[in-house]
């Protein structure tokens, strides 16, 4: 990525109070990849989307990777500019299958009822967007009145990034109308003010849309929570939730600056460009800010990089199928000798000696 362009993006983020206030919030890489692929199918330049957003292609190879929310917002802005489509959040939500973006949709498809799926949505919502709620930990809450059941979006940063609930609600309503009686969804409310393209909202949703409301919410029929789902075998729910619980534990560990740096390093070790500057750009930080944040946690970038390389080296060598020289390249070492010296410092043994000892024990 050209350094001048990266500096321009960082300045945009630093100057934009909306983006500055969501630093530290992350979105699952599946959502960024979905938006990028969708935009490319409509004619946007993949390379320019990567450059404008600051999202390295390697960061999108794993759906469960985390992308800083400012980068995701920059990606959406780039797509909007390139496609001249101010309603891209709606059109993306309308065109994508939820299961293509997140494990949460797979979990809800294995639930017996909508009420159970709603519980799972709150339990695992942080895997989609890692942000605390305004009023308690739940991402969504409900309220009943004479008109039906309101599902209220309870995430504090949504007032700052209106396109996110717009896209989420579009995916939700489109899916519900496709699989159930369309009358189950009665109205959509947004707390932000109406944008210039407000007519597109009712075209896409097909129901009344209100802006400037007290809440960002969807109104459902009284019987909505009683509706049955079970589109996947019941046993898959246990398999999927076990995996999702592991992802939540990993996410919790990654919320520290050290954890976020570790997550950012994994996909870029192999190309030899795992520098502090590059990681800072990935995390939408300046290099001095990252330095101070790591120092406050009692560590340095060099120590974190060294620790990640040590852990990955042990995993790769334990596999037994990858040549030692290949492991060195995957870890970003310029030559195998440098890797061997580092490995001996970590373990007291050479990589080949440790692998031989491991294989002897296995046999």
């Amino acid at each position: 990525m050209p350094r001048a362009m990266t500096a321009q993006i960082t300045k945009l983020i630093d100057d934009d109070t909306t983006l500055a206030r969501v630093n530290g919030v992350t979105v699952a890489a599946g959502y960024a990849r979905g938006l990028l692929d969708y935009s490319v199918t409509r004619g946007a330049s993949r390379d320019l989307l990567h450059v404008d957003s600051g999202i390295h292609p390697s960061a999108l190879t794993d759906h469960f990777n985390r992308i800083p929310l400012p980068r995701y917002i920059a990606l959406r802005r780039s797509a909007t500019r390139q496609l001249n489509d101010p309603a891209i959040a709606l059109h993306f939500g309308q065109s994508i299958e939820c299961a293509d973006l997140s494990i949460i949709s797979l979990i809800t498809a294995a639930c017996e009822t909508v009420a159970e799926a709603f519980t799972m949505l709150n339990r695992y919502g942080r895997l989609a967007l890692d942000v605390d709620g305004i009023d308690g930990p739940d991402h969504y809450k409900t309220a009943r009145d004479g008109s039906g059941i309101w599902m209220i979006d309870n995430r504090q940063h949504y007032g700052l990034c209106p396109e996110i609930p717009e896209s989420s609600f579009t995916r939700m309503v489109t899916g519900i109308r496709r699989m159930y009686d369309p009358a189950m969804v009665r109205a959509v409310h947004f707390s932000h003010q109406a944008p210039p393209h407000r007519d597109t909202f009712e075209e896409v949703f097909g129901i009344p849309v209100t802006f400037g409301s007290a809440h960002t919410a969807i109104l459902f029929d009284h019987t909505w929570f009683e509706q049955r789902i079970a589109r996947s075998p019941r046993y898959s729910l246990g398999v999927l939730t076990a995996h999702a619980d592991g992802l939540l534990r990993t996410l919790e560990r990654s919320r520290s600056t050290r954890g976020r740096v570790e997550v950012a390093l994994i996909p870029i070790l192999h190309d030899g460009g795992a520098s502090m500057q590059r990681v800072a750009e990935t995390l939408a930080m300046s290099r001095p800010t990252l330095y101070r944040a790591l120092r406050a946690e009692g560590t340095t970038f060099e120590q974190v990089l060294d620790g990640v390389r040590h852990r990955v080296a042990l995993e790769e060598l334990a596999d037994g199928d990858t040549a030692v020289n290949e492991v060195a390249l995957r870890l970003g070492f310029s030559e195998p000798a440098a890797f061997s010296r580092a490995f001996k410092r970590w373990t007291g043994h050479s990589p080949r000696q440790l692998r031989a000892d491991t294989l002897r024990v296995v046999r």
Side-chain angles (χ1 to χ4, degrees):
M1 182 185 310
R3 186 169 299 279
M5 180 63 75
T6 301
Q8 180 181 345
I9 296 166
T10 302
K11 184 176 188 302
L12 169 66
I13 292 173
D14 290 342
D15 289 348
D16 191 317
T17 56
T18 293
L19 298 186
R21 291 176 63 184
V22 296
N23 272 320
V25 180
T26 61
V27 62
Y31 289 86
R33 179 175 176 174
L35 176 57
L36 190 143
D37 288 345
Y38 166 75
S39 301
V40 170
T41 64
R42 289 189 52 193
S45 162
R46 184 178 297 274
D47 289 343
L48 188 55
L49 289 169
H50 282 297
V51 169
D52 285 351
S53 66
I55 300 174
H56 193 270
S58 61
L60 302 181
T61 57
D62 183 350
H63 264 50
F64 304 120
N65 194 15
R66 308 302 303 180
I67 302 298
L69 184 55
R71 297 297 186 202
Y72 182 79
I73 295 172
L75 174 64
R76 191 264 308 159
R77 288 182 172 178
S78 176
T80 296
R81 288 193 299 267
Q82 291 191 55
L83 301 175
N84 192 27
D85 181 6
I88 192 168
L90 303 181
H91 295 142
F92 171 54
Q94 189 180 35
S95 303
I96 199 76
E97 290 286 345
C98 295
D100 292 335
L101 306 177
S102 171
I103 192 174
I104 301 173
S105 178
L106 300 176
I107 290 172
T108 57
C111 292
E112 290 287 346
T113 65
V114 171
E116 184 181 26
F118 183 79
T119 299
M120 294 296 175
L121 184 62
N122 273 326
R123 178 176 171 181
Y124 297 112
R126 284 178 51 211
L127 294 179
L129 183 71
D130 184 25
V131 56
D132 295 328
I134 296 174
D135 182 17
D138 290 343
H139 278 196
Y140 297 97
K141 59 183 179 180
T142 61
R144 296 175 183 264
D145 61 22
S147 56
I149 303 173
W150 289 95
M151 188 189 79
I152 301 169
D153 193 318
N154 198 34
R155 290 175 280 188
Q156 62 184 5
H157 289 295
Y158 272 16
L160 304 177
C161 315
E163 293 82 4
I164 294 178
E166 290 174 1
S167 187
S168 298
F169 278 15
T170 306
R171 285 195 302 273
M172 198 174 297
V173 171
T174 300
I176 290 169
R177 294 180 68 188
R178 185 169 57 246
M179 293 181 290
Y180 298 92
D181 181 352
M184 282 290 170
V185 188
R186 297 186 169 181
V188 173
H189 283 210
F190 291 107
S191 58
H192 58 272
Q193 297 301 311
H197 56 281
R198 65 170 301 160
D199 291 347
T200 308
F201 283 79
E202 293 199 1
E203 292 174 9
V204 169
F205 283 105
I207 50 178
V209 179
T210 300
F211 292 93
S213 180
H215 298 289
T216 293
I218 301 177
L219 176 63
F220 294 103
D221 182 82
H222 285 289
T223 64
W224 174 234
F225 274 14
E226 302 164 17
Q227 300 299 309
R228 297 187 63 78
I229 304 177
R231 297 193 304 277
S232 300
R234 182 65 178 178
Y235 73 83
S236 65
L237 183 62
V239 176
L240 291 166
T241 55
H243 185 60
D245 286 336
L247 291 173
L248 281 179
R249 290 191 292 270
T250 300
L251 179 59
E252 189 60 39
R253 291 194 298 270
S254 73
R255 297 183 88 177
S256 66
T257 302
R258 178 178 187 134
R260 294 172 63 205
V261 170
E262 289 176 345
V263 169
L265 279 171
I266 296 295
I268 63 174
L269 281 176
H270 66 281
D271 65 7
S275 66
M276 188 174 183
Q277 180 65 38
R278 181 172 175 185
V279 170
E281 291 165 358
T282 299
L283 298 179
M285 292 182 177
S286 66
R287 190 178 185 279
T289 298
L290 178 57
Y291 172 82
R292 289 191 296 270
L294 287 172
R295 186 176 63 178
E297 294 181 5
T299 190
T300 66
F301 177 80
E302 290 73 21
Q303 289 171 332
V304 177
L305 174 59
D306 199 54
V308 170
R309 280 175 159 173
H310 181 188
R311 186 177 75 244
V312 174
L314 291 175
E315 292 171 355
E316 293 278 0
L317 291 172
D319 179 57
D321 293 331
T322 308
V324 171
N325 288 355
E326 179 64 22
V327 174
L329 291 175
R330 290 186 182 183
L331 294 177
F333 285 95
S334 58
E335 55 182 3
F339 169 54
S340 294
R341 288 193 296 271
F343 196 85
K344 194 163 187 177
R345 172 169 53 81
W346 296 328
T347 67
H349 303 279
S350 72
R352 288 182 172 81
Q353 180 184 355
L354 185 70
R355 168 167 282 177
D357 291 345
T358 301
L359 292 176
R360 189 161 46 248
V361 169
V362 171
R363 290 173 185 151

